[in-house]
Amino acid sequence: MLPKRIVITGGASGLGFALAQLAAKAGWRVAIVDRDVERGEAVITSLQRKQPQSCFIPCDVTRLSDLERVAKELQERWQGVDVVVNNAGVAQVGKLVDTSISDWQWIMDINVLGVVRGCKVFIPMLQQQGGGHLINVASMAGLLDVPNMSAYNASKAAVVSLSETLQNELAEDNIHVAAVCPSFFRTNLGQGMRSTIENMDDKLEKLMSKSKLNATDIAKAIMRTIERQESYTLPHKQGRNAWYLKRFLPRSWYRKLLHKTVKKHS
């Protein structure tokens, strides 16, 4: 049996690269696609030591033609893929009134339409093969509603909703779809982050440093989700608990707890 074939957008660093390392170690053929060509070329050798057929393909998820080129190359190179991970994303922090429309367009083009493009390009391939896995990386921000993150929250909520919808649409095609919703963990999310809040870089670093999980832990959770064909990956216990409270408590009670928690960590 041939090893699984996985393609990961935003795969040259952070969570994407941590997942690539685990997959390559397991013998999977790994394609990391990323717009950071220098970084991609620098890290692909380490993956090829684990799995020689792994590759790096430059790609900007804001361009449908780039993703179509990736799909075509992997069809020619591997005769298809088994797992598609739409991981590429960016962050924006600030009150709604302080966030420009151009920042909204920027984050939606990457976080939402980047995932949409990845799904649109690879779903026909998975259907033709008779099945596969579609893993969309969202965030607990897509399930909760932390203040001062309206654009980011909305973009990740869209990814969750898209994933849930595709679970229904693709069930008969034997395509497993999951939404990955981690809380803060140490990664490179702050690089390129846009913010209208003073000292947000320091605050983000503080939040990430408190996490008990790192990128490899999240990647391991994604591998389990693929194996078990689960609908959600919610790796942080505190995040899961907050989501349960939101779902089952009266809204007024949940909001009080949320604001108390935000104040504690601000």
Side-chain angles (χ1 to χ4, degrees):
M1 180 178 179
L2 291 174
K4 282 190 171 65
R5 304 159 294 181
I6 184 171
V7 55
I8 307 169
T9 69
S13 61
L15 174 59
F17 186 62
L19 180 59
Q21 289 178 304
L22 286 181
K25 186 177 180 179
W28 296 13
R29 286 173 281 181
V30 180
I32 54 173
V33 302
D34 204 295
R35 65 180 180 180
D36 188 339
V37 176
E38 183 177 355
R39 174 69 180 171
E41 291 177 345
V43 301
I44 187 58
T45 302
S46 66
L47 293 180
Q48 290 174 336
R49 291 194 192 102
K50 298 180 177 72
Q51 221 300 342
Q53 294 187 63
S54 296
C55 60
F56 165 64
I57 307 174
C59 173
D60 185 338
V61 298
T62 66
R63 299 173 183 167
L64 183 64
S65 59
D66 276 19
L67 285 158
E68 289 173 336
R69 175 174 48 79
V70 170
K72 182 179 179 181
E73 181 169 339
L74 293 179
Q75 182 66 50
E76 294 172 351
R77 184 188 292 254
W78 295 345
Q79 291 73 56
V81 296
D82 302 300
V83 183
V84 179
V85 183
N86 291 303
N87 166 71
V90 292
Q92 196 285 331
V93 182
K95 294 181 181 298
L96 176 64
V97 295
D98 298 326
T99 303
S100 67
I101 294 299
S102 63
D103 275 1
W104 272 90
Q105 292 170 331
W106 168 74
I107 198 170
M108 291 296 173
D109 197 20
I110 298 170
N111 287 9
V112 181
L113 291 179
V115 176
V116 170
R117 294 182 188 102
C119 293
K120 189 173 181 63
V121 165
F122 282 100
I123 284 173
M125 181 186 295
L126 298 179
Q127 288 174 321
Q128 186 174 7
Q129 294 172 177
H133 303 264
L134 194 58
I135 311 298
N136 297 327
V137 179
S139 166
M140 285 308 300
L143 300 174
L144 305 177
D145 43 275
V146 177
N148 302 326
M149 297 179 64
S150 57
Y152 186 70
N153 292 350
S155 72
K156 293 303 185 178
V159 173
V160 173
S161 181
L162 172 65
S163 302
E164 292 171 340
T165 303
L166 290 176
Q167 288 170 9
N168 298 324
E169 287 186 10
L170 301 175
E172 294 184 359
D173 294 308
N174 194 34
I175 297 175
H176 159 236
V177 185
V180 179
C181 299
S183 300
F184 290 106
F185 64 98
R186 186 167 292 282
T187 186
N188 60 339
L189 184 65
Q191 294 180 9
M193 177 182 67
R194 297 184 182 182
S195 174
T196 59
I197 296 179
E198 188 176 355
N199 299 321
M200 191 60 217
D201 288 341
D202 294 336
K203 293 177 182 178
L204 180 61
E205 179 66 25
K206 182 179 178 182
L207 286 168
M208 291 193 298
S209 66
K210 288 183 177 180
S211 176
K212 295 180 180 180
L213 303 182
N214 57 31
T216 300
D217 295 320
I218 309 302
K220 288 179 179 177
I222 293 173
M223 294 289 278
R224 288 193 296 272
T225 293
I226 296 170
E227 179 183 354
R228 299 171 184 174
Q229 297 198 24
E230 297 170 335
S231 298
Y232 304 93
T233 304
L234 307 174
H236 288 85
K237 182 179 179 180
Q238 186 177 15
R240 290 196 302 271
N241 290 341
W243 186 43
Y244 297 149
L245 291 175
K246 179 182 178 180
R247 293 168 66 194
F248 299 117
L249 283 182
R251 177 69 180 177
S252 59
W253 294 10
Y254 163 74
R255 286 184 63 238
K256 288 179 181 178
L257 288 172
L258 175 65
H259 283 272
K260 184 178 180 180
T261 302
V262 170
K263 187 175 181 181
K264 179 181 177 181
H265 290 92
S266 61

